[in-house]
Amino acid sequence: NAEKPAASVLLEEAEKRSGVRLQKSAAWPLGKPVVAITSSQNVQGWNHNIPASKIGPEGYRLYLDESSNPGTLWVIGADARGTLFGVGQLIRRLDWAPRKLSVAYPLELTPAPTYAISEHKLG
């Protein structure tokens, strides 16, 4: 449930920017490229191992795994906020074209905020 808002942001941006309508699914699609968005190490119904990640609070791992066919683009958040931040970074890194989405390989990012910001942000 924590990943639903992050997935919705990606779906909306993909359709708005490229015209590509991605499908949201709680089950792992067979024979199709996958953008897997999670903050859990075990997702019921996926039957896929989630790559191990050491992620600090509000951090994420953005990882393109081309070893599987077709490839899997992982957005693994430490928590719901990390997942949303990971999807935001993915949106910034995607190459947008009419009816086409792509991302440069290799892709491996694991950032986390150095300081927690609470109450308000300065800026």
Side-chain angles (χ1 to χ4, degrees):
N1 286 334
E3 293 80 8
K4 286 182 182 179
S8 294
V9 167
L10 179 59
L11 269 70
E12 290 168 12
E13 289 299 317
E15 188 165 10
K16 180 172 68 172
R17 295 180 186 208
S18 69
V20 172
R21 176 173 264 167
L22 301 174
Q23 297 176 356
K24 188 180 343 181
S25 175
W28 196 271
L30 299 176
K32 296 180 182 180
V34 175
V35 177
I37 303 171
T38 185
S39 63
S40 174
Q41 289 303 307
N42 183 14
V43 180
Q44 186 177 3
W46 278 11
N47 298 324
H48 274 73
N49 293 328
I50 298 171
S53 302
K54 289 186 177 186
I55 309 168
E58 297 187 357
Y60 59 88
R61 181 177 183 201
L62 187 57
Y63 168 61
L64 181 58
D65 179 8
E66 294 243 318
S67 67
S68 59
N69 190 13
T72 302
L73 181 55
W74 292 94
V75 181
I76 306 166
D79 46 36
R81 288 175 57 91
T83 305
L84 185 59
F85 296 150
V87 166
Q89 183 63 239
L90 173 59
I91 289 169
R92 288 188 291 280
R93 291 190 173 262
L94 281 170
D95 294 322
W96 305 93
R99 308 292 310 148
K100 183 179 176 185
L101 296 173
S102 62
V103 66
Y105 181 80
L107 178 61
E108 171 79 40
L109 298 169
T110 311
T114 305
Y115 304 103
I117 298 175
S118 61
E119 302 290 327
H120 63 279
K121 290 185 179 181
L122 303 174

